[in-house]
Amino acid sequence: SNNNISSNRLSGYLQNSWDFYHPKNTMSVTVGARFNYWTYNQQFLVSPRAAFSIKPDWEKDILFRFAAGLYYQPPFYKELRRPDGSLNPNIRAQSSIHFVAGSDYNFIAWDRPFKLTSEVYYKHMDDLIPFIVENVRIIYSGENSSRGYAAGLDMKLNGEFVQGVESWMSVSVMQTNEILRDNFYNNYFSQNPDATENVWIPRPTDQRVTVNIFFQDYMPMLPNFKMNMNLGFGTGLPVYYPNSSHHTVITRTPPYRRVDIGFAYE
């Protein structure tokens, strides 16, 4: 293919925050909006969002957070390029409505500070541009041909497990699915594609569980000599067989596991 693009983007945002103090609670509100205009598809986008936090006057140091907003992701070049090399001049931005609730809990354990952060979220997504991962290449459909959702829970605990150095552990659980409006996946994988409309299938990024641990330590007799260890685990990602119906033959890769260890002397 031989493509030429000349386009301009105009973007900006407005945001303001207010803090409210009460004898029992401390509250904060942040409201804003972001706008974007792209001359290539002549789409003008406005995405409002708001966040609210409250810190009750409790014995325990806890902060609660709530946020919601409409988010747009204008396409990049690879997303508006179809598999045959042609460009889609009518491509639209992918959109997502976010709802997030979380908390920050600061506490003392073993006479040392710790912080537990947790978030639960749901994202309703529309005008998605489906893609597949072929070895190390990402191939986009170039069409706004699916809608989907993502929901999950993130938790992270960090603090001084060893006095004087910070370590952390995180756990995430997520599910993300989509419904196709065309046969992009089957057209690519199968010689005789079947209909895939109105069938929920996992998105290529649907990794259900991930766990990461970062741990630091040092030698008591030589505190300038430090060791750090990073452990990562993730459940498998969806895999689709060639020459098969995309939504009926789905398996997953083996779990991802990784361990890194490093040493440093200051």
Side-chain angles (χ1 to χ4, degrees):
S1 62
N2 183 12
N3 297 315
N4 293 281
I5 290 181
S6 176
S7 68
N8 296 283
R9 295 181 189 267
L10 177 66
S11 63
Y13 71 93
L14 297 171
Q15 179 176 297
N16 198 17
S17 298
W18 297 268
D19 295 322
F20 303 94
Y21 300 96
H22 185 270
K24 295 294 183 181
N25 304 307
T26 300
M27 294 174 288
S28 175
V29 177
T30 301
V31 177
R34 183 176 294 275
F35 68 88
N36 182 285
Y37 179 74
W38 191 22
T39 59
Y40 180 74
N41 61 0
Q42 299 182 358
Q43 187 179 24
F44 180 75
L45 305 170
V46 178
S47 54
R49 69 281 308 268
F52 172 77
S53 65
I54 181 170
K55 190 176 187 305
D57 186 17
W58 295 348
E59 284 189 17
K60 296 182 178 181
D61 185 1
I62 300 180
L63 173 71
F64 295 101
R65 294 175 282 105
F66 307 92
L70 171 62
Y71 292 81
Y72 289 100
Q73 176 60 62
F76 296 98
Y77 174 77
K78 289 190 69 175
E79 294 171 324
L80 61 91
R81 185 179 182 271
R82 300 184 181 99
D84 64 1
S86 63
L87 303 183
N88 182 2
N90 300 315
I91 196 79
R92 300 186 304 278
Q94 302 177 98
S95 66
S96 174
I97 302 176
H98 291 204
F99 301 96
V100 182
S103 65
D104 298 332
Y105 175 35
N106 296 283
F107 61 96
I108 302 295
W110 306 302
D111 297 324
R112 296 191 290 272
F114 286 84
K115 182 177 182 179
L116 175 63
T117 302
S118 58
E119 277 191 351
V120 60
Y121 60 87
Y122 176 79
K123 303 179 181 182
H124 173 78
M125 300 177 286
D126 203 355
D127 284 334
L128 294 178
I129 305 171
F131 67 93
I132 59 173
V133 181
E134 186 183 81
N135 197 5
V136 296
R137 183 172 60 144
I138 297 178
I139 301 172
Y140 293 91
S141 69
E143 305 284 349
N144 300 100
S145 54
S146 74
R147 61 182 176 88
Y149 70 88
L153 169 69
D154 294 329
M155 300 185 69
K156 182 178 181 180
L157 175 65
N158 64 286
E160 296 183 9
F161 292 91
V162 175
Q163 189 171 7
V165 290
E166 188 168 341
S167 304
W168 53 264
M169 178 179 68
S170 67
V171 179
S172 297
V173 180
M174 181 195 69
Q175 183 179 36
T176 177
N177 291 328
E178 66 182 341
I179 285 183
L180 300 175
R181 300 184 184 128
D182 61 19
N183 289 338
F184 164 65
Y185 291 111
N186 279 346
N187 285 332
Y188 190 86
F189 281 115
S190 177
Q191 299 296 329
N192 298 302
D194 299 324
T196 57
E197 290 86 350
N198 300 318
V199 177
W200 286 105
I201 60 174
R203 306 196 74 208
T205 54
D206 182 44
Q207 190 171 37
R208 297 296 174 84
V209 180
T210 56
V211 179
N212 286 280
I213 299 175
F214 179 75
F215 180 76
Q216 292 191 97
D217 199 355
Y218 59 88
M219 299 177 63
M221 301 299 294
L222 193 61
N224 288 341
F225 185 75
K226 296 181 180 180
M227 180 275 297
N228 63 79
M229 181 180 295
N230 186 54
L231 298 92
F233 171 82
T235 54
L237 293 168
V239 174
Y240 311 101
Y241 294 111
N243 302 319
S244 302
S245 178
H246 180 80
H247 67 284
T248 58
V249 184
I250 298 176
T251 186
R252 289 182 179 268
T253 62
Y256 172 83
R257 292 160 296 218
R258 176 170 176 162
V259 178
D260 298 304
I261 187 169
F263 301 91
Y265 179 77
E266 297 180 354

